[in-house]
Amino acid sequence: MQQDVQPLAIRTSGLTRRFGDLVAVDDVNLCVPRGSVYGFLGPNGAGKTTTIRMLLGLIRPHEGEVHLFGQSLHDERIGLMRRVGALVESPSLYPHLTGRENLEVTRRLLGSSREQIERALATVHLEESADRCVKAYSTGMRQRLALALALLGDPELLILDEPTNGLDPAGIREMREFLRRLPEELGVTVFLSSHLLSEVEQVATHIGIVGHGRLLFQGTPEELQAQLEDHVTLGVDRPEKAERLLLRAGWAVRQNGMGHLHVTVNGRSDVTLINTRLVQEGIRVFHLSLEQPSLEDVFLRLTS
């Protein structure tokens, strides 16, 4: 059986899925390293949930293959799914049962040991609330219980679809801290889908961005940051003259509609040259700042 050259938890090749004339997932090639937190980002409707359903074997691709831990999902689905935990969309819980009883139902189905219930409760910090009925749980507590269910079988890979949906700021922060801990403390690879870059960039070691079903970027946050160049924001007394001068000197310049100029630069040395050139031409500079693009800038550029 063919094995991955790199230690990958997930590898897809040419993954494609159609619904009628709509191509929901189009030739997606994912590479998710083991031990990573992989943020799978894209606007709503970009194909994230469809991709996740194919990774879990819930629907089959029309084209392409899924490999988990170097093995074909098509050939080894039952064995591979024993190594995967998942939380897709809203958690399925029994509200009239306690948290512990919900875990016991799933434990029996999986054939796991009773010790794994205590371990899962401790991992998501629900020990003190384990014997309360789930109908009395907050949204954040229900989400943590759903994660405990996903962790019951000691998975090597955890696949989460929009796990912060419906959480308040405190719940989102709690979820973020939990996801950061998983690879280091439990050795779990996390595949996390979201449309919120601001949340993913705080936990992800690797990022994939999808739009209209196609994978637009894959790499580390640092590699994503490098997709855009630094720029200088200038406030001058004669913006039209300054723009013509800088364009002739070879810089890319545009006005931002608020009386300021944006100049694409290649590092801090350009900032000094721009300021000197303008002052020499009698143009007064009353604002000059070097700005580095945020990951959100890159995300919006890729998906717009």
Side-chain angles (χ1 to χ4, degrees):
M1 183 175 294
Q2 184 179 359
Q3 299 291 316
D4 289 310
V5 176
Q6 293 180 290
L8 297 177
I10 300 172
R11 177 173 63 83
T12 70
S13 53
L15 200 63
T16 301
R17 174 73 191 195
R18 294 179 288 272
F19 296 98
D21 293 332
L22 173 67
V23 183
V25 177
D26 188 3
D27 193 29
V28 167
N29 300 299
L30 294 173
C31 293
V32 179
R34 296 194 196 193
S36 67
V37 177
Y38 187 103
F40 191 48
L41 283 161
N44 291 328
K48 302 188 300 297
T49 298
T50 301
T51 300
I52 282 178
R53 289 184 177 279
M54 287 189 283
L55 295 180
L56 294 171
L58 299 175
I59 57 175
R60 289 190 175 184
H62 287 117
E63 297 171 25
E65 292 184 281
V66 175
H67 285 78
L68 303 180
F69 313 110
Q71 299 179 2
S72 168
L73 181 63
H74 181 269
D75 297 337
E76 307 285 347
R77 182 177 183 274
I78 294 176
L80 287 171
M81 286 300 102
R82 291 196 181 101
R83 303 166 68 182
V84 178
L87 173 56
V88 181
E89 298 175 342
S90 300
S92 298
L93 304 171
Y94 298 103
H96 61 287
L97 299 180
T98 67
R100 192 185 305 279
E101 288 167 343
N102 269 271
L103 290 168
E104 175 63 18
V105 170
T106 302
R107 182 198 71 79
R108 292 184 183 183
L109 291 172
L110 293 174
S112 304
S113 66
R114 292 183 183 275
E115 289 76 15
Q116 286 181 309
I117 290 181
E118 302 308 318
R119 192 181 313 151
L121 287 169
T123 300
V124 301
H125 298 160
L126 269 182
E127 305 102 307
E128 294 182 3
S129 305
D131 296 311
R132 289 169 52 192
C133 277
V134 169
K135 63 184 176 184
Y137 279 17
S138 66
T139 303
M141 291 169 69
R142 289 174 184 241
Q143 203 77 338
R144 279 189 282 151
L145 180 58
L147 284 169
L149 288 167
L151 290 169
L152 263 185
D154 283 337
E156 298 171 52
L157 170 64
L158 191 61
I159 297 180
L160 308 175
D161 189 14
E162 301 277 2
T164 59
N165 269 0
L167 298 184
D168 60 18
I172 291 173
R173 183 172 63 249
E174 198 172 58
M175 179 68 69
R176 194 163 57 223
E177 292 169 355
F178 168 74
L179 295 176
R180 282 199 197 103
R181 297 194 335 256
L182 281 175
E184 184 174 342
E185 293 184 7
L186 301 180
V188 177
T189 302
V190 180
F191 184 87
L192 162 70
S193 95
S194 179
H195 64 281
L196 299 173
L197 175 64
S198 58
E199 289 305 317
V200 169
E201 69 175 310
Q202 298 185 59
V203 297
T205 60
H206 295 75
I207 290 175
I209 296 178
V210 66
H212 303 291
R214 297 190 65 86
L215 190 63
L216 305 173
F217 170 84
Q218 182 169 237
T220 64
E222 292 76 21
E223 290 168 338
L224 180 59
Q225 183 85 47
Q227 294 283 310
L228 284 184
E229 298 172 301
D230 297 345
H231 66 267
V232 166
T233 299
L234 281 173
V236 295
D237 61 345
R238 287 179 285 174
E240 288 79 11
K241 180 179 178 181
E243 182 177 8
R244 290 194 300 270
L245 174 68
L246 294 174
L247 285 170
R248 286 198 303 269
W251 280 290
V253 186
R254 63 180 175 85
Q255 297 197 35
N256 69 353
M258 301 172 61
H260 285 69
L261 301 177
H262 282 196
V263 186
T264 301
V265 296
N266 185 25
R268 294 179 177 274
S269 59
D270 273 13
V271 180
T272 304
L273 289 173
I274 287 170
N275 185 61
T276 302
R277 184 70 61 89
L278 293 174
V279 171
Q280 287 175 342
E281 294 294 328
I283 297 171
R284 295 174 58 194
V285 179
F286 55 82
H287 174 86
L288 188 152
S289 60
L290 175 64
E291 299 178 13
Q292 295 180 313
S294 67
L295 292 182
E296 186 175 15
D297 294 330
V298 189
F299 176 69
L300 292 173
R301 190 197 71 173
L302 288 171
T303 58
S304 64

